[in-house]
Amino acid sequence: MTAKNTYIETMKSQLDALDVNMNKLEAKAEEAKADARDVYLEEMRKLRHQSKLASAKLDELKAASEDTWKAMTTEMDKVREAFVHSFNYFKSQV
């Protein structure tokens, strides 16, 4: 397995785990009182958007050539870190 494939698989695994955890949080948010539920669901919408951005960035990385993919890892790491940070913050609020 190449370094690129290893990186992609690691990133995909991390993003998939975040998506599973988001589903659990979303179920918890659905059970909240109406006023809190609206706030939680709006935050979930934002997290889903970040998830889509991270997935799109991962797709770009997958399509990159062996020569250019490494340069893209910094941006991918930043997108993932922002997603993780937002997720952890929201999780601490629920």
Side-chain angles (χ1 to χ4, degrees):
M1 185 175 271
T2 66
K4 177 183 175 184
N5 289 340
T6 301
Y7 180 85
I8 288 170
E9 286 303 313
T10 300
M11 203 50 61
K12 181 176 180 344
S13 176
Q14 290 174 4
L15 294 176
D16 287 347
L18 279 167
D19 283 337
V20 167
N21 287 324
M22 277 194 322
N23 290 337
K24 291 176 186 176
L25 276 179
E26 191 166 31
K28 201 174 188 180
E30 290 286 343
E31 296 172 2
K33 292 183 180 179
D35 55 340
R37 182 176 46 240
D38 292 342
V39 172
Y40 290 160
L41 293 177
E42 176 61 21
E43 289 302 314
M44 285 304 303
R45 187 191 64 72
K46 291 176 185 176
L47 284 174
R48 294 277 179 215
H49 178 71
Q50 282 188 300
S51 176
K52 287 178 185 175
L53 290 176
S55 291
K57 187 57 65 182
L58 185 60
D59 288 342
E60 287 178 32
L61 192 90
K62 287 177 185 177
S65 71
E66 285 296 322
D67 296 334
T68 61
W69 77 270
K70 256 193 174 171
M72 297 176 72
T73 60
T74 301
E75 190 173 345
M76 181 71 225
D77 289 341
K78 286 179 184 178
V79 169
R80 181 186 48 84
E81 283 300 316
F83 183 26
V84 168
H85 176 74
S86 295
F87 173 81
N88 287 333
Y89 176 77
F90 179 66
K91 184 178 174 184
S92 73
Q93 302 300 308
V94 176

